[in-house]
Amino acid sequence: MPRQRITKEMVVDAAFELARSGGMEQVLVKNIAERLGCSVQPIYSYCRNMEGLRREVTEKVREFVKKYAAEHMDPEDPFRSTGRAYVRLAEEEPHLFRLFILHRREGISSLEELYRVEAGPHMAGFLAEKLRITEEQARKLHLNMLIYTIGIGAIFAMTTPGIPASEIFEQQEEAYRAFWELMQKENPQ
């Protein structure tokens, strides 16, 4: 039987699956080699250092989370449904959620910068149109909910045996209403 050629993509995919099932602490050369059914030599040939591989896994996690949120977004209620998607992700993929939340974000020195990186350039405009508010109001509301959802999602992902998702969704809804009311008081129309 011919030996399988191990590619860098296979190494990154195996590392991602290890992180998915057990957290980044499982991303070890010996575990990757075992998963791929090969010696450690091909792994070392692609991964001069584990930090580079971990960065690639983290980027793959970011892509996964972005795709997951998009697939679970309701176009009729994008704001709430995206928040609920993050909580579902914390429940279904706790290791990936933790990696997404806890990975180091370089070059961020303000919440505004964090928002631009996490939400992207068009999200505030999209939400403003859907919610019929100004873009600045949408950005502020979204930032508040992003901070809140990440926090409550982290609590959800880190508790055992676990808080019921329905309780988390209820808490998210209360936060949304509170942020909405605050926005309305600050910007009466």
Side-chain angles (χ1 to χ4, degrees):
M1 178 176 203
R3 289 180 20 161
Q4 178 181 2
R5 176 160 157 46
I6 304 299
T7 65
K8 184 175 183 180
E9 183 178 341
M10 291 167 69
V11 171
V12 173
D13 289 346
F16 173 83
E17 290 303 325
L18 287 165
R20 186 179 195 175
S21 64
M24 193 65 87
E25 55 275 3
Q26 294 302 310
V27 178
L28 304 169
V29 172
K30 69 178 182 72
N31 293 349
I32 296 168
E34 184 177 303
R35 186 167 194 99
L36 293 174
C38 66
S39 71
V40 297
Q41 191 278 328
I43 313 307
Y44 282 120
S45 70
Y46 289 116
C47 306
R48 302 262 184 260
N49 67 51
M50 289 304 287
E51 193 55 39
L53 177 59
R54 287 188 178 105
R55 276 194 302 276
E56 289 186 59
V57 170
T58 299
E59 184 54 37
K60 195 168 177 82
V61 169
R62 286 180 54 81
E63 291 168 15
F64 179 90
V65 170
K66 187 177 181 179
K67 183 178 176 189
Y68 184 96
E71 289 171 353
H72 291 83
M73 184 185 76
D74 175 358
E76 298 304 313
D77 190 8
F79 195 74
R80 286 183 178 102
S81 63
T82 302
R84 286 186 209 109
Y86 278 97
V87 172
R88 277 191 207 97
L89 176 67
E91 181 177 38
E92 295 171 12
E93 301 281 357
H95 297 294
L96 294 184
F97 185 80
R98 283 185 212 116
L99 286 171
F100 174 70
I101 297 305
L102 298 176
H103 80 273
R104 181 170 298 283
R105 288 158 171 86
E106 302 290 335
I108 303 293
S109 59
S110 71
L111 289 175
E112 185 60 38
E113 288 175 6
L114 177 69
Y115 182 77
R116 279 195 304 269
V117 168
E118 295 299 320
H122 306 293
M123 185 54 79
F126 173 74
L127 291 173
E129 185 179 318
K130 286 289 186 183
L131 298 172
R132 294 187 175 99
I133 57 178
T134 69
E135 197 166 316
E136 179 56 27
Q137 289 172 316
R139 188 205 59 76
K140 188 172 182 179
L141 181 63
H142 191 213
L143 176 60
N144 285 336
M145 284 304 296
L146 186 66
I147 293 166
Y148 186 85
T149 297
I150 288 170
I152 202 163
I155 290 167
F156 183 65
M158 300 299 285
T159 57
T160 58
I163 301 167
S166 60
E167 189 176 339
I168 299 296
F169 293 149
E170 186 179 313
Q171 199 63 40
Q172 267 184 314
E173 188 61 31
E174 282 184 35
Y176 173 75
R177 284 193 302 270
F179 290 135
W180 182 265
E181 287 174 21
L182 178 63
M183 183 191 63
Q184 295 297 314
K185 285 179 186 173
E186 289 176 352
N187 301 299
Q189 294 179 343

